[in-house]
Amino acid sequence: MLWIVAASSIAASTANFTLSVFGNANLDDTINEQDVAYVQDVITGTKAPTNLTDANHDGKVDEKDIEQIKQIINGTEKELIIYDDSGDAVTINEPVSTAVASSREYDEALRAIEATDSIIAVDTGVKNSSAYFPELGKLPGIAGEYGKNPDYEAVLKLKPDVYLSGFSNYEQDKKSLSGISAIYLKLWMPEGFTERVAKLGYIFNKREEARQYIQWHNDTIETIKEKIAGQSGKSQPRILLASVYADGIHVHTNQSGGGQIPGIIGVKILGEDLIGSHPLLDPEWVIKQNPQVILLLDIPDSIPKGYGTNDTSGMAAYRDEFMKDSSFSKLDAVVNGRVYLLDGKSMTYTGSYILSIAYMAKLFYPELFKDFDPRAVHQEYLKMQGLDYNLKENGVFVYPPIEGR
């Protein structure tokens, strides 16, 4: 049995993430000649194998692994083996020509790295979002929104090279789609997002496009983060991040995808350490916390918002109703008018969470970011998505509206 070095013991000092693709022997963020050298050292006994050294995943480290790594470097590999977020080692036949994206986070990520030509079917959420997915929305729908209740018979008839699983069904997907590589990647979660994009770059042979996207993503976040870090020693506002679901208002903790977003730029939120990811809001608790800023990430679908409307009246009415609620009317955030509504579907639960970061920075620190227009980041993101969409004239994403520079 091979002695395995844990990924965290090496990667922390060499890269921002470890690319969990077999053949990444030295556990950095790419596969290159350094991995060939690492495997050679393992074969000669001068280095210990890692959990990714066995490039062809046959249970031993030998010259065949070096050959596999060289093929990956050249883009000529017949198979690619990855760890997905279920913890499975998934073997993918290469090149990938067809893919079923069962949840919208895959569609956005693949569009950002120019790999949507492979997609042959989508979820109903994408089909019902014609303003944002004008082309992909024309493809067959094989699952409910976010991959719920997939039609396995229809998927098997399509015979895709890979099936990209949503978070609600990935275990059953793997059991039901025999002969198809079912992959589960948490692209809806900010933590680990860039590694998952890099992995898609390898799967779909769009490595350079993935690298450029990751670079833009990281540079944008770092610029905002550094500006906020410059406030060190100054108190930050007490911020409540919440969402409105069918059974009431829920608080985001740092276990939810949305709740992780402020922490990326060094912002703490009230209740981040509460139990669970979206605990039901306790009115007595929120009165005691007395937030200075309240940001609602999700509000009912019946309220017009997003790319398909210019109507702000629904958001305005909902905000007014919220602020008049006796449980909230005396909170600092309400008294000072710092209650904001964000279209969570447009800017969370996918790589679009970077848009939430931009808008949050402006909302949380209006003076610090007085010369910053989050719509500029939003417009750049849409350009990467291949969309010709003028944000100054179209869409409702935040209320009250944010003024530009």
Side-chain angles (χ1 to χ4, degrees):
M1 180 179 292
L2 298 177
W3 176 56
I4 301 299
V5 177
S8 59
S9 66
I10 293 179
S13 62
T14 59
N16 291 327
F17 60 81
T18 294
L19 178 72
S20 51
V21 174
F22 283 77
N24 182 23
N26 65 351
L27 304 178
D28 62 5
D29 60 351
T30 190
I31 297 177
N32 54 25
E33 292 295 336
Q34 293 178 17
D35 296 293
V36 172
Y38 194 101
V39 174
Q40 288 173 333
D41 288 342
V42 170
I43 292 172
T44 60
T46 58
K47 285 185 179 175
T50 70
N51 58 342
L52 298 175
T53 307
D54 182 9
N56 63 358
H57 201 226
D58 66 354
K60 54 184 180 292
V61 177
D62 54 23
E63 295 294 334
K64 292 181 180 180
D65 296 305
I66 292 176
E67 181 60 29
Q68 169 71 358
I69 293 170
K70 288 181 177 179
Q71 289 178 7
I72 293 174
I73 293 170
N74 296 329
T76 59
E77 74 278 9
K78 300 296 189 296
E79 290 183 344
L80 191 73
I81 303 127
I82 68 163
Y83 277 124
D84 74 354
D85 286 322
S86 71
D88 293 339
V90 182
T91 299
I92 303 159
N93 292 324
E94 295 286 344
V96 170
S97 299
T98 57
V100 168
S102 76
S103 193
R104 65 181 288 151
E105 62 267 25
Y106 295 106
D107 298 283
E108 283 197 47
L110 292 175
R111 194 159 62 174
I113 65 172
E114 302 177 22
T116 53
D117 286 350
S118 300
I119 301 175
I120 58 174
V122 296
D123 72 304
T124 56
V126 169
K127 287 192 68 65
N128 294 332
S129 302
S130 58
Y132 191 61
F133 294 107
E135 297 303 321
L136 294 177
K138 297 175 184 178
L139 296 173
I142 49 74
E145 192 167 21
Y146 302 117
K148 297 178 182 177
N149 304 314
D151 184 342
Y152 293 125
E153 185 176 344
V155 176
L156 290 169
K157 286 181 179 178
L158 288 171
K159 298 180 180 178
D161 294 326
V162 296
Y163 182 87
L164 302 169
S165 294
F167 68 90
S168 60
N169 269 78
Y170 67 91
E171 292 180 342
Q172 190 59 47
D173 292 346
K174 289 171 178 282
K175 294 177 183 177
S176 302
L177 296 174
S178 178
I180 296 173
S181 298
I183 303 166
Y184 174 51
L185 299 177
K186 297 179 182 177
L187 284 159
W188 47 269
M189 181 178 286
E191 183 180 354
F193 176 77
T194 51
E195 190 270 336
R196 295 176 181 107
V197 170
K199 198 177 296 180
L200 287 177
Y202 275 82
I203 294 170
F204 289 89
N205 197 24
K206 293 287 185 178
R207 301 175 204 178
E208 178 58 22
E209 291 84 351
R211 187 199 65 78
Q212 291 178 14
Y213 174 41
I214 290 169
Q215 188 68 55
W216 173 83
H217 170 279
N218 289 348
D219 288 348
T220 300
I221 291 175
E222 195 59 32
T223 299
I224 294 172
K225 185 178 179 179
E226 287 179 356
K227 200 171 185 68
I228 292 175
Q231 293 287 98
S232 179
K234 298 181 182 180
S235 61
Q236 70 160 52
R238 298 185 303 277
I239 299 163
L240 176 66
L241 202 63
S243 286
V244 183
Y245 302 133
D247 62 341
I249 301 172
H250 290 249
V251 179
H252 282 275
T253 73
N254 57 15
Q255 295 181 46
S256 77
Q260 289 179 9
I261 295 173
I264 294 171
I265 51 175
V267 174
K268 294 180 68 65
I269 54 176
L270 297 173
E272 63 182 10
D273 295 324
L274 292 175
I275 296 173
S277 58
H278 305 82
L280 193 65
L281 181 142
D282 179 352
E284 291 185 6
W285 176 84
V286 77
I287 290 171
K288 184 178 179 180
Q289 299 297 318
N290 191 21
Q292 295 168 303
V293 181
I294 297 176
L295 180 59
L296 299 180
L297 273 181
D298 285 297
I299 56 176
D301 288 341
S302 59
I303 297 172
K305 54 191 177 297
Y307 293 95
T309 184
N310 292 332
D311 181 10
T312 62
S313 62
M315 278 209 176
Y318 191 86
R319 179 175 181 266
D320 287 344
E321 181 181 351
F322 179 91
M323 294 173 72
K324 289 175 183 176
D325 189 302
S326 59
S327 298
F328 312 123
S329 60
K330 294 183 180 179
L331 299 177
D332 283 355
V334 175
V335 171
N336 295 316
R338 298 193 70 185
V339 175
Y340 306 104
L341 280 60
L342 216 60
D343 176 27
K345 186 172 287 188
S346 295
M347 56 186 78
T348 55
Y349 314 119
T350 71
S352 62
Y353 75 85
I354 196 170
L355 307 181
S356 283
I357 288 176
Y359 285 102
M360 285 179 184
K362 184 78 169 186
L363 296 174
F364 298 161
Y365 296 97
E367 290 302 315
L368 185 63
F369 288 91
K370 62 182 178 181
D371 294 326
F372 171 69
D373 185 357
R375 290 177 303 181
V377 174
H378 198 161
Q379 200 72 67
E380 283 185 51
Y381 185 77
L382 292 180
K383 184 177 180 180
M384 289 182 184
Q385 291 290 315
L387 295 174
D388 182 13
Y389 190 97
N390 189 334
L391 290 167
K392 292 183 178 180
E393 298 178 0
N394 301 294
V396 178
F397 306 97
V398 60
Y399 192 87
I402 291 179
E403 298 298 326
R405 293 173 183 266

